[in-house]
């Protein structure tokens, strides 16, 4: 399905932008916020050049609502932002989920709460995976750890968004967004833009009119709608994505995602070279969380340590996944500081030898 | 049908033959009938994508035979922008009340208009939040009693009522902005003409079209439909003057 592409040396943010365009992006709506400005900047020139629409909206609220309109019309559409901006998008994300509309939202997570800082952080894990807006809904969440994954996962995000008619979030941070790495691009085959959009609004001709909405007032209809959404989320949970590194004979599995997962990988390599039996489990889908895969490792008698760039959020999902068998230690690296592989050595060794 | 009954006019094909949920004397129904008639007369029904908003008008999508999407409170102009950018070949119509458009959605309407999005917005000004039970709106008149201005709106604390047609008319991307009223047959005819203008500028891709309709909310005004019509004439029109505030087609 893919043709051979070029090899580029680009930032994660640019990889996301290029991946989205390769996936057939038609409309991008954004608002400036650090550290994701490369995305709207790239889109403002590149998207019109391929016949797409770029709008710098008046706010994140408006950008996310433009997404509702473009998605309802069946277009592949995307917005990107960072933490405070994503909070503002949550109203629209809830409406996208409630109206069963496909769209991609990028969050280059920065430090919070409030204005926080502009450095990398994983403080938005709860917001991303538990639904930051109102109501019973879920957003599919993918967390890239490399620039190549930024490119590949955004393409996958569009396919998943249309497959499930659901918003999909790419959760990154300033590390993966701002670093440059080689990325192999893909020339994707021409897609039929109308395929899989038989639900879209396009003008009511020779049929009843279509209504895309999230209002269900008659008795029982909201319950039915929410149960149908739940069935969709259950279906999504069958296909999680994760990276397992040196886990087979490991006594201790470190669970870490995104940029931190990638830094932990370096620590694991170093400790392996010294003969320590440690491995890495890196969830790539954060929602649905790869509970079953983690549970399999727990059954093998492994110890667990969860490392995050926050005060402990994903560790709750790790604990839920393995709770009937064992528990996970936690090490939180404070947002506001940038970790190196050495920073994780001590907590990993402590966990490996501890208890 | 008895022999005495005669069908005075046909229902336009854009109008769905169902009872509406509006209170007696509410002019949302009049506004929507005009919109439906125009869509039919202008041959736009099959090409229209409708954005409905929050408020008493939310069920408009049930009453017009056009494909539609529902917007969050106040965000209809942003949703409509997204629809139009995705489908520039379609006729995009949006419909909002005053609480929706002039309060929570003020930023969205201003910027959508200023960008000159090629869409048409029908704005129903009934000086009150209808659906939520008659609270004060940005258009509530000075002295008007509402459930959240029990002593009457007070300019020194609550500001003056906002005149949207004038504000929108002052913005660059706007092709047409006008205020009309639905209080009598003559004004309703004028309203339809003005709405047609707002639709035509979109068809000609001249920019943003805006129609403010002064309309009744007898329920929350605590008035009979006839009193409500008189209130439009005696209290609303003096503060919200009828007229065309921008028309780029008149300039050439
Ligand atoms: C975010 C949000 N805030 C508040 C509401 C509650 N709400 C529903 S309708 C409405 C007022 C609508 O008033 P208006 O736009 O004047 O329309 P009308 O009902 O008078 O036609 C409000 C505040 C909501 N649905 N969403
Ligand atoms: S409450 Fe007012 S605006 Fe709403 S339907 Fe009744 S009369 Fe119309």
């Amino acid at each position: 399905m893919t043709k051979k592409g070029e090899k580029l040396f680009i930032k994660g943010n640019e990889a996301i932008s290029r991946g989205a365009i390769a996936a057939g992006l038609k409309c991008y709506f954004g608002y400036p916020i650090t550290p994701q400005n490369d995305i709207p900047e790239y889109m403002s020139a590149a998207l019109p050049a391929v016949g797409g629409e770029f709008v710098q909206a008046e706010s994140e609220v408006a950008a996310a609502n433009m997404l509702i309109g473009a998605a309802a019309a069946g277009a592949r559409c995307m917005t990107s932002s960072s933490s405070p901006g994503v909070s503002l998008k949550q109203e629209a994300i809830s409406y996208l989920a409630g109206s069963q509309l496909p769209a991609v939202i990028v969050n280059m997570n920065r430090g919070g709460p409030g204005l926080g800082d502009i450095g990398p952080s994983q403080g938005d894990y709860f917001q991303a995976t538990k639904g930051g807006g109102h109501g019973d809904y879920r957003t599919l969440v993918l967390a890239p750890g490399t620039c190549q994954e930024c490119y590949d996962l955004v393409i996958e995000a569009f396919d998943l968004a249309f497959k499930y008619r659901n918003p999909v979030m790419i959760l990154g941070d300033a590390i993966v967004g701002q670093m440059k790495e080689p990325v192999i691009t893909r020339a994707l085959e021409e897609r039929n833009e109308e395929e899989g959009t038989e639900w879209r609004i396009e003008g009511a001709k020779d049929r009843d009119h279509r209504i895309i909405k999230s209002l269900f007032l008659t008795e029982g209809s909201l319950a039915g709608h929410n149960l149908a959404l739940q069935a969709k989320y259950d279906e999504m949970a069958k296909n999680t994505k994760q990276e397992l590194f040196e886990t087979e004979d490991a006594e201790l599995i470190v669970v870490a995602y995104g940029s931190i997962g990638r830094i932990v990988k370096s620590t694991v390599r170093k400790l392996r070279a010294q003969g320590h039996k440690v491995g890495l489990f890196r969830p790539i889908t954060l929602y649905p969380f790869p509970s079953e895969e983690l549970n399999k490792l727990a059954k093998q008698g492994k110890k667990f340590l969860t490392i995050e760039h926050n005060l402990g959020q994903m560790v709750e999902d790790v604990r839920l996944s393995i709770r009937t068998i064992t528990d996970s230690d936690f090490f939180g690296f404070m947002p506001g500081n940038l970790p190196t592989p050495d920073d994780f050595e001590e907590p990993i060794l402590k966990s490996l030898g501890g208890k | 049908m008895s022999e005495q009954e005669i069908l005075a006019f046909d229902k336009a094909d854009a109008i769905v033959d169902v009872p509406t949920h509006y209170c007696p004397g509410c002019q949302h129904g009049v506004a929507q009938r005009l919109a439906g008639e125009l869509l039919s007369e202008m041959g736009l029904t099959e090409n229209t994508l409708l954005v409905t908003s929050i408020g008493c008008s939310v069920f408009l999508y049930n009453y017009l035979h056009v494909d539609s999407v529902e917007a969050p409170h106040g965000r209809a102009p942003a949703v409509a922008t997204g629809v139009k950018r995705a489908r520039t070949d379609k006729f995009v119509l949006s419909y909002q009340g005053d609480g929706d458009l002039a309060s929570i959605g003020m930023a969205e309407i201003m910027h959508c208009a200023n960008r000159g999005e090629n869409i048409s917005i029908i704005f129903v000004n009934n000086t009150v939040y209808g659906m939520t039970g008659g609270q004060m709106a940005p258009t509530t008149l000075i002295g008007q009693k509402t459930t959240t201005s029990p002593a009457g709106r007070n300019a020194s604390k609550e500001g003056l009522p906002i005149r949207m047609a004038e504000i929108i008319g002052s913005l660059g991307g706007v092709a047409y902005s006008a205020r009309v009223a639905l209080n009598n047959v003559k004004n309703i005819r004028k309203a339809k003409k003005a709405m047609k203008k707002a639709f035509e500028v979109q068809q000609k891709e001249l920019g943003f079209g805006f129609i403010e309709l002064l309309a009744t909310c007898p329920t929350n005004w605590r008035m009979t439909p006839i009193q409500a019509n008189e209130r439009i004439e005696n209290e609303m029109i003096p503060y919200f003057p009828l007229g065309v505030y921008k028309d780029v087609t008149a300039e050439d």
Side-chain angles (χ1 to χ4, degrees):
Chain A
M1 120 129 198
T2 55
K3 292 176 201 149
K4 202 168 169 271
E6 0 162 33
K7 191 169 183 173
L8 301 170
F9 187 62
I10 51 173
K11 278 187 181 182
N13 281 342
E14 186 177 335
I16 285 177
S17 311
R18 284 177 181 264
I21 291 176
L25 183 73
K26 175 89 200 298
C27 297
Y28 172 90
F29 311 108
Y31 186 83
I33 184 169
T34 308
Q36 60 81 55
N37 292 324
D38 316 274
I39 302 176
E41 284 167 3
Y42 185 89
M43 290 300 183
S44 64
L47 197 52
V50 296
E53 290 282 328
F54 166 87
V55 181
Q56 178 169 324
E58 62 270 29
S59 67
E60 287 87 350
V61 176
N65 280 281
M66 289 174 190
L67 215 54
I68 294 179
R76 290 197 159 202
C77 56
M78 179 171 117
T79 186
S80 63
S81 191
S82 182
S83 309
V86 175
S87 293
L88 287 177
K89 291 185 193 293
Q90 292 297 343
E91 177 193 47
I93 295 173
S94 168
Y95 275 76
L96 284 164
S99 312
Q100 304 208 65
L101 287 173
V104 175
I105 301 109
V106 178
N107 181 2
M108 285 301 175
N109 193 159
R110 60 188 239 180
L115 199 49
D117 72 8
I118 55 168
S121 152
Q122 297 185 326
D124 297 355
Y125 180 91
F126 281 153
Q127 186 195 51
T129 60
K130 311 297 174 196
H134 60 284
D136 278 334
Y137 79 94
R138 297 290 183 166
T139 311
L140 253 157
V141 185
L142 306 175
T146 65
C147 292
Q148 184 67 53
E149 274 187 359
C150 283
Y151 186 85
D152 294 336
L153 288 180
V154 79
I155 295 173
E156 195 173 328
F158 279 103
D159 291 339
L160 289 169
F162 275 80
K163 179 174 174 191
Y164 293 114
R165 284 179 61 191
N166 205 66
V168 180
M169 180 174 282
I170 302 282
L171 187 63
D173 61 17
I175 301 175
V176 74
Q178 294 298 327
M179 73 185 173
K180 276 191 173 182
E181 283 186 304
V183 171
I184 300 182
T185 66
R186 290 194 257 157
L188 299 188
E189 243 154 54
E190 283 282 305
R191 263 182 337 99
N192 174 358
E193 277 187 24
E194 294 185 17
E195 212 180 280
T197 61
E198 50 297 316
W199 45 265
R200 71 177 180 181
I201 54 167
E202 58 185 4
K205 190 170 158 53
D206 305 326
R207 58 159 168 79
D208 201 7
H209 56 133
R210 280 183 195 146
I211 304 168
I212 294 182
K213 60 171 184 133
S214 56
L215 180 67
F216 296 91
L217 279 183
T218 44
E219 171 97 9
S221 63
L222 179 63
H225 176 65
N226 279 333
L227 287 172
L229 292 182
Q230 187 57 47
K232 196 164 81 169
Y233 305 144
D234 291 345
E235 192 59 36
M236 289 175 190
K238 292 180 188 154
N239 291 300
T240 60
K241 244 186 145 91
Q242 56 281 318
E243 181 194 7
L244 278 77
F245 178 68
E246 302 274 21
T247 53
E248 216 137 277
D249 66 338
E251 288 166 25
L252 176 82
I253 306 282
V254 182
V255 188
Y257 75 92
S259 312
I260 298 301
R262 200 250 189 83
I263 295 169
V264 168
K265 199 170 175 181
S266 301
T267 321
V268 167
R269 263 198 206 104
K270 184 175 172 191
L271 294 176
R272 274 277 168 185
Q274 295 168 6
H276 298 290
K277 293 208 160 168
V278 293
L280 166 71
F281 183 94
R282 181 172 66 92
I284 295 172
T285 44
L286 297 184
Y287 185 85
F289 193 72
S291 297
E292 223 169 283
E293 298 301 318
L294 208 55
N295 194 274
K296 273 187 212 154
L297 293 171
K299 282 189 185 133
Q300 294 166 17
K302 318 276 189 198
K303 289 182 178 180
F304 291 89
L305 165 68
T306 304
I307 297 185
E308 296 178 72
H309 206 175
N310 60 32
L311 292 140
Q313 300 192 15
M314 179 178 71
V315 65
E316 293 190 5
D317 284 333
V318 173
R319 285 182 167 140
L320 279 175
S321 307
I322 62 177
R323 72 189 186 284
T324 54
I325 300 156
T326 182
D327 194 8
S328 167
D329 289 342
F330 173 71
F331 177 72
F333 193 86
M334 282 309 191
N337 305 306
L338 203 64
T340 66
D342 294 345
D343 288 314
F344 299 141
E345 228 177 283
E346 201 190 301
I348 292 177
L349 289 175
K350 205 171 133 202
S351 227
L352 183 66
K355 286 181 291 212
Chain B
M1 200 185 285
S2 77
E3 276 176 41
Q4 276 77 24
E5 281 180 76
I6 41 162
L7 201 59
F9 53 86
D10 285 331
K11 172 190 72 59
D13 68 1
I15 296 171
V16 182
D17 198 5
V18 289
T20 65
H21 69 291
Y22 297 113
C23 306
C26 174
Q27 288 167 352
H28 269 304
V30 179
Q32 296 175 7
R33 202 187 87 205
L34 295 182
E37 284 176 2
L38 278 171
L39 292 180
S40 297
E41 287 162 21
M42 296 171 77
L44 287 168
T45 313
E46 290 175 354
N47 203 38
T48 295
L49 304 183
L50 172 73
V51 180
T52 64
S53 53
I54 307 291
C56 281
S57 60
V58 70
F59 293 119
L60 174 57
Y61 49 57
N62 290 332
Y63 307 148
L64 289 184
H65 187 81
V66 295
D67 280 0
S68 55
V69 55
E70 176 187 80
H73 194 24
R75 320 293 177 218
V79 174
T81 299
V83 173
K84 188 71 179 192
R85 296 295 182 120
R87 292 302 300 264
T88 46
D89 58 325
K90 296 292 170 187
F91 184 81
V92 178
L93 176 65
S94 179
Y95 187 102
Q96 294 181 268
D98 47 76
D100 194 67
L101 182 139
S103 189
I104 186 169
M106 189 59 134
E108 283 77 14
I109 188 66
M110 295 294 283
H111 290 277
C112 178
N114 197 52
R115 279 191 304 269
E117 298 292 342
N118 250 312
I119 62 178
S120 312
I121 292 199
I122 296 172
F123 168 50
V124 177
N125 177 359
N126 58 16
T127 72
V128 80
Y129 282 49
M131 181 178 253
T132 40
Q135 296 83 4
M136 186 180 69
T139 46
T140 294
L141 292 174
I142 296 302
Q144 184 182 339
K145 285 185 180 160
T146 71
T147 57
T148 51
S149 57
R153 184 178 184 157
N154 174 338
S156 70
K157 287 207 177 102
E158 284 132 6
L160 290 166
I162 296 178
R163 296 186 178 107
M164 287 310 300
E166 288 85 334
I167 296 174
I168 296 295
S170 74
L171 298 173
V174 176
Y176 185 76
S177 176
R179 182 182 293 116
V180 291
L182 300 177
N183 60 320
N184 57 44
V185 175
K186 194 169 131 235
N187 280 344
I188 290 172
R189 288 218 175 96
K190 281 190 188 159
K192 188 167 171 183
K193 276 200 185 120
M195 281 164 79
K196 187 170 182 192
K197 261 269 158 117
F199 289 12
E200 281 169 354
V201 292
Q202 178 180 174
Q203 283 185 301
K204 292 182 191 151
E205 298 186 10
L206 295 174
F208 188 83
F210 185 82
I211 286 291
E212 176 170 343
L213 302 166
L214 302 184
T216 52
C217 175
T219 303
N220 289 304
W221 294 357
R222 315 260 188 277
M223 287 179 180
T224 64
I226 290 172
Q227 288 169 333
N229 271 321
E230 285 166 1
R231 177 176 185 258
I232 291 184
E233 189 69 44
N234 301 330
E235 294 177 40
M236 284 175 76
I237 293 176
Y239 186 83
F240 295 113
L242 306 185
V244 177
Y245 294 95
K246 186 161 185 188
D247 183 358
V248 294
T249 63
E251 284 161 16
D252 52 41

